Amino acid sequence: MLPNADPTSYRLQFAFGLVVLGGLLCISPSPVLGQSRSRVLPASLAAEATQKNILLRIVRAEDDRRWDSELRALFSNPSPAVRRRAALAAGRIGHEGSVAELIVLLQKDPNFDVRAMAAFALGEVESALGADALLATLRESEDLTLRARTIEALGKIAAALPKEQEARSRELAGVILAQLKLEGSRRSAADEFTILLALTAVLRAKPANAGPVVAMFSRYSDPRIRADVANTLARLKLNEENVFLRKLLLTDPDPVVRANAARVLGATEDKPSYDALLEKAMKDVDSRVRVSAIRALTSLKDPRAAASLVERGSKLQATNAPGAVNELLEIATTLGRLRENSADKRASEWLIGVRSISGPAPEVEIALARIHPATYLAQLTSGPTPRQKVQEAMLIDWRSASSIAQGLGQIAAVGDPAAEDKQLRGQAAELLRAMLDYRNSGLTINTLVRVHTEYAVPDVLRAFAAFKPTDLAEVLRRHLKESDVGIRATAAEFMGELPLNITNIEALRDALKLALQDKENDAALAILDALGKQKNRNANLAIMPALNSSDHLVRRKAAASLKSTGAGDFASRIGT
């Protein structure tokens, strides 16, 4: 992982320091005759106690997301450690009002660690107001750490700029790429920390023509840099160095480098890499490389790999090696993609064998449904009571029910409008409807532990919504009244995708009243998002009560939704 966040965390240090300090303060003086029972703390200990109290105040402000005069004043504290920690807190709070003071620290603080932290914090705030000061620092400073943090911050700001500032974003991205290129052209040793942060900044800013510059470092001696180069190329889907990356995949001694090289070749759908990827998927000694290669083969969409993957999977099943199940599930996912609608008997039989090891895992159910939808559905509908069969799964094992629902949901994607496919989709949707109606199954299941059927309902709802049934809105409104937060959040998510309807808005309004009383905020946030998409007066009125929520994120979401719909700026209601 790239070092794009400051690793310093004072919380445990505060707790430990305060306990130690408390212990020191509670030590009784030795009972020497005539000695006073009051003692004056040594100056060094008193200063340490004062600093710890200040740092504790900073953490409280940070936890409250509170940028105020108290925190601002600490930017002038005599202690560099306090100024540095206050700058970090300002960045984490993310209030644009802190930018001017952070710029002063960046430009004028006598301590380079404080200045570097100010640069980092400006990146965390992600405000365009900090960009010019960062650019000036990059031009004027020779301090390597400060320059690295400045490049990192520019990457965050460039990535956060809105579309209307696209020209400014491209300008910052160009500066970042130029700095990375400068590191690669140094006659003296390049600074590795700068390279790592610049690669991350390129990943965020996405400058044009970045591939050749990033690829310059693919031959670097440090395996971490090679790995990050491959990761950056993969994330940006840049294929300029695929020939060299194939060599890395086959010969690099570092498994992370090989794994990331496989990711690039998959992300760029590099067809000439098929043989190399298949070899690493089958034979690499490191499971991370094998898994990355298996995933890359999915991207190549070459069905020839299926037979070899089944062979590899069969060997894994026989060895029963530690961690084998995870690799088997990766193979299952890839088979489902490579052999979609193929009715591949060998792959299907192998997947059924995996099911006996892993249970009805979603990867296996989805793959079976993709490869042969009719057979998958026939297995579930065999016997006189298919409805009860899936309802029984809901009542006995929520994980199995969730997996089955995800498998059934794949049948919604069967694209042939033939009568047979329409019938398959209809049958799958009815099974999902039965799963949602599990309370009316008439089944009595006695178990010694709580089953948590409600955990499966969100996945069933998602699968059911994929079929776009005519009564979807009615089903979703019904689930907005459930007691489980996750169910209500999922129902709200799909309500937001439905056309404007006063009945739906009223249902979301009533659901929000319930959600504002939850301990968790998932349902409230999802409902606010759904209401925000409606963009009309009734929806805005329904959002307003959320501005009084005790949850900061809910208030922030409500204010953002109202602003996006043109209802006004309620930022002052967000608070701490």
Side-chain angles (χ1 to χ4, degrees):
M1 181 174 179
L2 293 176
N4 53 17
D6 188 88
T8 307
S9 175
Y10 286 91
R11 286 175 173 78
L12 293 177
Q13 296 177 36
F14 294 159
F16 179 76
L18 290 172
V19 169
V20 171
L21 178 60
L24 290 171
L25 291 171
C26 293
I27 295 175
S28 300
S30 56
V32 177
L33 185 63
Q35 183 173 349
S36 170
R37 296 193 59 83
S38 63
R39 297 180 74 183
V40 178
L41 281 173
S44 60
L45 191 57
E48 183 182 353
T50 299
Q51 183 162 320
K52 281 186 166 62
N53 283 331
I54 291 172
L55 294 173
L56 185 58
R57 281 159 45 204
I58 293 173
V59 170
R60 285 174 177 161
E62 183 181 286
D63 286 346
D64 289 342
R65 300 293 187 267
R66 171 170 41 84
W67 167 253
D68 56 14
S69 58
E70 181 183 7
L71 189 56
R72 184 184 293 111
L74 295 176
F75 280 23
S76 303
N77 191 278
S79 168
V82 170
R83 298 197 304 275
R84 184 177 185 275
R85 187 60 181 86
L88 175 60
R92 287 175 171 171
I93 292 166
H95 195 289
E96 200 168 63
S98 66
V99 170
E101 279 76 10
L102 286 169
I103 289 174
V104 173
L105 281 187
L106 173 68
Q107 295 177 333
K108 299 182 179 180
D109 199 279
N111 185 286
F112 274 103
D113 284 344
V114 176
R115 294 180 67 188
M117 181 56 73
F120 174 83
L122 285 168
E124 290 293 281
V125 177
E126 296 182 340
S127 170
L129 298 175
D132 284 336
L134 290 164
L135 290 170
T137 299
L138 204 54
R139 287 192 300 269
E140 299 163 7
S141 177
E142 295 296 327
D143 182 79
L144 293 177
T145 302
L146 177 55
R147 290 178 61 82
R149 288 297 184 191
T150 299
I151 295 167
E152 177 189 35
L154 287 170
K156 293 177 182 178
I157 293 172
L161 289 176
K163 287 185 178 179
E164 53 267 26
Q165 296 186 48
E166 186 177 347
R168 179 62 159 166
S169 180
R170 286 199 302 268
E171 177 192 351
L172 299 182
V175 171
I176 291 164
L177 190 62
Q179 291 300 314
L180 182 60
K181 188 174 183 179
L182 177 64
E183 287 301 318
S185 62
R186 286 187 188 276
R187 292 184 179 181
S188 58
D191 182 63
E192 294 184 359
F193 187 57
T194 301
I195 295 169
L196 290 169
L197 293 192
L199 286 169
T200 305
V202 166
L203 188 59
R204 291 190 174 109
K206 299 179 174 61
N209 304 314
V213 179
V214 172
M216 288 167 56
F217 299 92
S218 59
R219 299 169 178 82
Y220 206 82
S221 59
D222 186 341
R224 182 178 180 187
I225 289 178
R226 297 199 307 276
D228 284 355
V229 165
N231 180 56
T232 302
L233 292 171
R235 296 278 295 277
L236 297 178
K237 298 186 177 181
L238 302 174
N239 59 3
E240 284 85 350
E241 286 291 298
N242 278 1
V243 172
F244 186 72
L245 286 167
R246 283 179 222 135
K247 184 178 178 182
L248 286 183
L249 172 64
L250 291 170
T251 63
D252 199 281
D254 188 276
V256 176
V257 175
R258 298 199 303 278
N260 283 353
R263 288 178 58 214
V264 183
L265 298 170
T268 56
E269 299 181 14
D270 188 63
K271 302 291 185 183
S273 299
Y274 171 81
D275 290 331
L277 287 167
L278 187 61
E279 179 182 336
K280 303 314 283 185
M282 299 287 285
K283 299 178 181 178
D284 199 278
V285 295
D286 193 287
S287 64
R288 292 170 293 183
V289 182
R290 295 196 302 272
V291 166
S292 290
I294 291 166
R295 292 174 179 173
L297 287 168
T298 306
S299 301
L300 265 55
K301 303 180 181 68
D302 191 327
R304 290 180 300 162
S308 297
L309 289 173
V310 169
E311 180 185 341
R312 168 66 185 163
S314 299
K315 289 179 179 177
L316 271 176
Q317 284 175 289
T319 59
N320 198 25
V325 171
N326 290 335
E327 195 169 336
L328 290 171
L329 296 179
E330 292 289 347
I331 293 173
T333 299
T334 299
L335 285 173
R337 291 290 182 183
L338 296 182
R339 303 298 291 149
E340 189 168 352
N341 289 319
S342 67
D344 187 323
K345 184 177 180 182
R346 186 184 178 202
S348 295
E349 289 176 350
W350 179 80
L351 286 164
I352 291 169
V354 175
R355 184 195 271 165
S356 65
I357 298 173
S358 65
E363 295 87 348
V364 175
E365 302 305 304
I366 289 170
L368 283 166
R370 281 181 178 278
I371 291 171
H372 201 169
T375 298
Y376 181 73
L377 195 58
Q379 292 173 358
L380 291 175
T381 56
S382 62
T385 56
R387 175 185 172 89
Q388 283 194 352
K389 184 185 294 186
V390 293
Q391 288 177 329
E392 190 175 275
M394 292 286 287
L395 293 168
I396 292 177
D397 184 353
W398 72 265
R399 293 178 181 83
S400 296
S402 171
S403 299
I404 291 168
Q406 291 177 65
L408 286 169
Q410 296 301 309
I411 297 174
V414 173
D416 191 339
E420 179 187 358
D421 288 344
K422 286 183 180 178
Q423 184 179 2
L424 288 178
R425 289 195 292 271
Q427 289 176 329
E430 284 309 305
L431 286 178
L432 290 164
R433 189 186 298 277
M435 295 174 83
L436 292 173
D437 195 37
Y438 69 92
R439 289 192 181 96
N440 297 317
S441 65
L443 297 171
T444 301
I445 306 294
N446 296 316
T447 62
L448 297 177
V449 294
R450 190 174 176 184
V451 177
H452 289 295
T453 297
E454 67 275 12
Y455 293 174
V457 176
D459 283 328
V460 183
L461 271 177
R462 288 189 188 93
F464 184 69
F467 291 90
K468 296 180 173 56
T470 56
D471 64 340
L472 178 60
E474 180 185 343
V475 172
L476 294 174
R477 289 196 296 267
R478 193 160 60 243
H479 283 85
L480 282 174
K481 300 176 183 178
E482 290 280 349
S483 59
D484 183 77
V485 173
I487 294 174
R488 283 183 275 129
T490 305
E493 175 190 339
F494 287 103
M495 286 286 282
E497 303 300 324
L498 297 180
L500 181 66
N501 181 306
I502 188 62
T503 305
N504 292 344
I505 292 175
E506 290 175 352
L508 288 166
R509 178 199 62 198
D510 294 342
L512 182 60
K513 292 177 184 177
L514 174 62
L516 291 176
Q517 301 172 31
D518 292 334
K519 292 181 180 178
E520 301 90 357
N521 60 19
D522 302 66
L525 293 174
I527 293 166
L528 288 170
D529 191 54
L531 285 168
K533 292 178 180 178
Q534 301 298 323
K535 298 186 186 303
N536 74 10
R537 183 174 180 274
N538 289 322
N540 291 338
L541 290 173
I543 291 170
M544 294 295 288
L547 292 170
N548 299 319
S549 170
S550 60
D551 189 297
H552 177 264
L553 292 177
V554 171
R555 297 196 303 274
R556 176 180 287 183
K557 181 68 175 179
S561 296
L562 290 168
K563 187 174 182 178
S564 70
T565 61
D569 189 345
F570 293 87
S572 61
R573 300 283 297 276
I574 296 174
T576 60

